[in-house]
């Protein structure tokens, strides 16, 4: 119901609709800032011998991982501070409004759980394969995978440090700038992830250093494939972040997707201890759940991702 003052204004012959203020900067400027943020994130990897890979020092070496985590933590803090200052000075936003755009407050715990549940639908087949076919429930009964994640440096990077820092940089620090520039919603979701995908291209150089025997064409295809799925995930994460305003949620989804990897879309699902007949049943069950999960994900995409209270984009803008 419109406010009384708004209704009376319509009967005022001298009343004129106020024109919206122009954005403080253009979408091109916002995209340039995003690209600079990406450079600030990974360029320091090659400025120090402690983080720079070489033919004798892998990116998976614990010393390299620890140094890189320190580096990206500082980069994220710097970029978050810059975004907060821009929001404060260019848009004159209050601290609570800035924290909202950064996805920090309110915490949006329920929306985070909902989008994690939504994403798990895409992995019904792999979850079935892991927990039932491969008996993955046994190590989880003692929480040993969780202990490994907290003690193994590669797991800690892939499932905790990586998802958190990448989401802080490419969602929390970046998307508010595109919203402030009034960039079209479609380009905010689908074009900005290209920068997220390109930020992973440096893995091509690192892979070539540590795997010189692999043909360069195979290395290139590997990097292009990585560019494709990281860009696709970036678009999905953008969508979820704008719908829920939850940094916690997109961090959880990112970590979950890193844990699951890409779903198997061909071949058999097998248990070495079972006969061929049982393995065929496992395989049928896997692909039925894979398709059914994708269908349910599509059907619940808008419902489970909707959060009127914490979302950054109004319902009418979708």
């Amino acid at each position: 119901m419109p406010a009384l003052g708004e209704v009376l204004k319509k009967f005022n012959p001298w009343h004129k609709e106020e024109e919206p203020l122009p954005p403080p900067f253009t979408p091109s400027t916002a995209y340039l800032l995003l690209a600079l943020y990406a450079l600030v994130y990974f360029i320091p990897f090659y400025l120090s011998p402690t983080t720079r890979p070489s033919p004798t020092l892998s990116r998976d070496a614990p010393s390299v991982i620890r140094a890189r985590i320190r580096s990206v933590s500082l980069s994220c803090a710097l970029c978050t501070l810059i975004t907060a200052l821009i929001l404060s000075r260019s848009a004159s936003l209050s601290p609570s409004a800035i924290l909202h755009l950064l996805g920090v407050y309110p915490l949006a715990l329920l929306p985070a759980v909902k989008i994690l549940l939504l994403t798990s639908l895409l992995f019904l087949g792999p979850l079935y394969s892991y927990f039932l076919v491969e008996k993955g429930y046994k190590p989880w009964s003692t929480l040993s995978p969780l202990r490994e994640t907290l003690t193994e440096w590669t797991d800690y990077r892939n499932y905790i440090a990586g998802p958190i820092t990448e989401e802080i940089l490419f969602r929390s620090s970046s998307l508010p700038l595109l919203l402030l520039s009034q960039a079209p919603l479609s380009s905010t979701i689908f074009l900005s992830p290209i920068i997220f995908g390109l930020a992973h291209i440096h893995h091509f150089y690192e892979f070539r250093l540590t795997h010189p025997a692999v043909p360069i064409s195979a290395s290139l295809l590997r990097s292009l494939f990585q560019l494709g799925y990281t860009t696709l995930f970036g678009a999905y994460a953008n969508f979820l972040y704008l719908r829920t305003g939850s940094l916690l949620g997109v961090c959880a989804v990112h970590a979950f997707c890193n844990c699951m990897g890409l779903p198997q879309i061909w071949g058999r699902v097998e248990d070495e201890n079972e006969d061929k007949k049982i393995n065929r049943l496992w395989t049928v069950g896997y692909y039925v759940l894979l398709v059914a999960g994708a269908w349910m994900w599509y059907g619940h995409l808008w419902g489970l991702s909707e959060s009127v209270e914490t979302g950054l984009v109004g319902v009418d803008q979708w």
Side-chain angles (χ1 to χ4, degrees):
M1 181 176 179
L4 179 60
E6 295 297 323
V7 174
L8 292 176
K9 283 181 181 179
K10 295 181 180 180
F11 295 95
N12 183 353
W14 296 278
H15 170 68
K16 294 182 179 180
E17 291 292 336
E18 295 182 0
E19 295 184 2
L21 294 175
F25 47 81
T26 65
S28 299
T29 302
Y31 282 113
L32 178 59
L33 282 170
L34 266 62
L36 290 176
Y37 282 2
L39 292 175
V40 168
Y41 187 88
F42 71 83
I43 286 296
F45 293 172
Y46 302 96
L47 300 180
S48 170
T50 60
T51 57
R52 185 169 56 243
S54 68
T56 58
L57 185 63
S58 169
R59 66 186 294 269
D60 294 329
S63 61
V64 174
I65 294 175
R66 288 193 296 268
R68 287 190 171 190
I69 289 176
R70 289 192 296 268
S71 172
V72 296
S73 297
L74 291 173
S75 297
C76 288
L78 175 62
C79 293
T80 299
L81 178 60
I82 292 173
T83 295
L85 289 174
I86 292 174
L87 294 175
S88 175
R89 297 189 177 184
S90 297
S92 301
L93 296 179
S94 65
S96 61
I98 293 173
L99 291 176
H100 182 204
L101 285 172
L102 294 176
V104 176
Y105 179 83
L107 189 60
L109 182 59
L110 180 59
V113 173
K114 288 168 62 178
I115 60 175
L116 185 59
L117 174 62
L118 172 68
T119 306
S120 68
L121 294 175
L122 286 173
F123 295 90
L124 276 187
L127 288 170
Y128 155 85
S129 177
Y130 173 72
F131 281 105
L132 294 182
V133 180
E134 302 172 22
K135 307 298 189 295
Y137 63 87
K138 292 182 178 179
W140 271 104
S141 64
T142 60
L143 297 180
S144 60
L146 182 59
R147 287 197 298 271
E148 290 177 5
T149 299
L150 296 174
T151 56
E152 295 289 336
W153 279 107
T154 52
D155 287 349
Y156 183 80
R157 175 197 62 196
N158 294 339
Y159 308 139
I160 297 179
I164 291 175
T165 57
E166 289 183 3
E167 293 308 315
I168 288 175
L169 189 83
F170 291 103
R171 247 60 66 184
S172 176
S173 298
S174 300
L175 293 186
L177 299 177
L178 289 172
L179 293 177
L180 187 60
S181 72
Q182 299 180 16
L185 187 58
S186 57
S187 63
T188 298
I189 294 175
F190 295 108
L191 292 184
S192 64
I194 296 176
I195 298 175
F196 174 70
L198 290 174
H200 294 78
I201 288 296
H202 68 100
H203 291 167
F204 171 78
Y205 169 72
E206 297 180 346
F207 184 79
R208 291 294 300 161
L209 282 178
T210 55
H211 299 79
V214 176
I216 190 170
S217 57
S219 301
L220 184 60
L221 286 174
R222 176 181 179 274
S223 293
L224 290 176
F225 181 69
Q226 187 180 37
L227 170 64
Y229 72 73
T230 52
T231 301
L232 184 63
F233 173 80
Y236 180 56
N238 282 353
F239 173 81
L240 295 179
Y241 186 79
L242 294 174
R243 293 278 291 174
T244 65
S246 175
L247 176 61
L248 174 65
V250 291
C251 286
V253 167
H254 194 149
F256 175 74
C257 290
N258 280 7
C259 287
M260 297 304 300
L262 294 175
Q264 176 182 331
I265 57 174
W266 67 81
R268 290 187 176 184
V269 175
E270 296 182 343
D271 182 347
E272 295 179 356
N273 298 320
E274 300 286 357
D275 59 32
K276 292 184 177 179
K277 183 177 180 180
I278 296 297
N279 283 329
R280 282 197 293 269
L281 292 175
W282 288 131
T283 301
V284 171
Y286 172 86
Y287 287 110
V288 167
L289 286 174
L290 188 66
V291 174
W295 179 257
M296 287 189 289
W297 172 86
Y298 178 76
H300 292 86
L301 177 62
W302 291 91
L304 287 177
S305 67
E306 183 178 6
S307 179
V308 177
E309 295 81 9
T310 59
L312 302 184
V313 178
V315 176
D316 58 329
Q317 294 176 265
W318 295 98

